[in-house]
Amino acid sequence: MPGRVIAIDGPAASGKSSVSRGVAAKLGFLFVSSGHFYRAFAWGVLRDGISPEQAPGWISGRRLEVRLDASGVSLLLDGEDATPHLSEAATAAMVSPLAAVPAVRDMVNTCLRALAAEHDLVMEGRDIGSVVFPDTPWKFYLDASPEERARRRAREGAVDSVAERDRLDSTRATAPLTIPEGAIVIDTTHLGLDGVISAVLELINAGDVR
Ligand code: CDP
Ligand code: CDP
């Protein structure tokens, strides 16, 4: 039987991954960052010295292995662990241009749907409720002001052009960042992490989630 999917979408630094981790831990579901899949491929194109325009031919020859252990999901690209490279500044700068390539999205979506065939998931990203699992009844869209999101990234010490990624993610032709139909929107600008996690869990438990 396919697993249940709780879809959590939103722009960069809206709190998706922290909230999804917390919700998954409470429910005993597997936490999956779909962004990690795009980041793994972004690291791969940098490693192989190719451009996003060359990605459709390149990606068909790639082997992405999804490993599950006690610490969760890790990704191996062509046998190499991508984990240490996912947050690198160069990866962050490459990921949105690469994620606009439909062949890359097709490859990632196949991997994400395969996970849902086996596990209950809390999955976060940009198009999880709109494109990857449009039929799931559990959809959330987290948001926060651009200033607060930039502050959150800066506090993490990350070099990351959040605003530029938002622009590219929201304007691309394929699967742009959007509020999925039926999603519950939570503005997290003035909410702490625990408050958002509790709100999501309450909505799920109350069955208010469409
Ligand atoms: O953590 P943050 O929200 O900053 O980024 P992420 O979730 O790791 O996603 C990195 C990038 O991957 C995003 O800026 C998008 O370009 C792309 N992405 C996407 O296109 N679709 C998804 N479902 C998830 C990520
Ligand atoms: O996954 P996404 O890029 O949407 O955001 P995140 O990586 O979960 O959160 C970015 C940073 O904001 C983390 O350091 C969180 O602890 C922090 N955060 C916060 O201060 N308040 C919230 N309500 C949510 C996240």
Side-chain angles (χ1 to χ4, degrees):
M1 198 178 79
R4 291 162 287 181
V5 177
I6 295 170
I8 302 196
D9 290 300
S14 56
K16 300 179 304 295
S17 76
S18 318
V19 169
S20 300
R21 258 181 220 289
V23 171
K26 279 278 184 203
L27 297 176
F29 285 21
L30 182 67
F31 160 69
V32 179
S33 163
S34 61
H36 283 183
F37 287 69
Y38 290 100
R39 285 172 183 265
F41 284 121
W43 165 64
V45 304
L46 292 164
R47 177 195 65 184
D48 295 352
I50 67 139
S51 68
E53 290 70 35
Q54 296 168 305
W58 172 84
I59 198 139
S60 58
R62 303 282 64 78
R63 187 167 48 86
L64 187 73
E65 202 183 315
V66 181
R67 285 219 178 138
L68 298 185
D69 59 25
S71 61
V73 174
S74 55
L75 301 175
L76 281 80
L77 186 61
D78 306 318
E80 276 186 87
D81 187 2
T83 311
H85 309 288
L86 299 179
S87 306
E88 288 171 357
T91 304
M94 175 54 80
V95 65
S96 290
L98 188 70
V101 178
V104 173
R105 304 202 69 81
D106 287 347
M107 175 74 106
V108 170
N109 289 346
T110 300
C111 298
L112 300 178
R113 291 182 182 128
L115 276 169
E118 308 262 330
H119 304 274
D120 288 324
L121 306 176
V122 181
M123 185 178 287
E124 54 101 351
R126 300 295 187 291
D127 63 341
I128 306 308
S130 57
V131 172
V132 190
F133 298 106
D135 297 329
T136 184
W138 298 289
K139 297 184 190 182
F140 295 89
Y141 185 92
L142 304 187
D143 209 348
S145 71
E147 295 76 19
E148 171 60 15
R149 293 187 290 109
R151 266 195 298 275
R152 289 177 186 174
R153 271 292 181 269
R155 271 202 303 268
E156 291 176 323
V159 179
D160 186 356
S161 54
V162 161
E164 176 61 2
R165 283 203 290 125
D166 283 351
R167 192 186 65 75
L168 292 172
D169 294 344
S170 304
T171 56
R172 68 183 172 221
T174 308
L177 172 64
T178 182
I179 301 177
E181 204 182 312
I184 292 179
V185 179
I186 303 178
D187 183 345
T188 73
T189 307
H190 303 292
L191 286 175
L193 214 47
D194 290 344
V196 185
I197 293 169
S198 303
V200 169
L201 287 168
E202 269 171 34
L203 287 161
I204 291 169
N205 291 334
D208 277 341
V209 180
R210 283 149 282 182

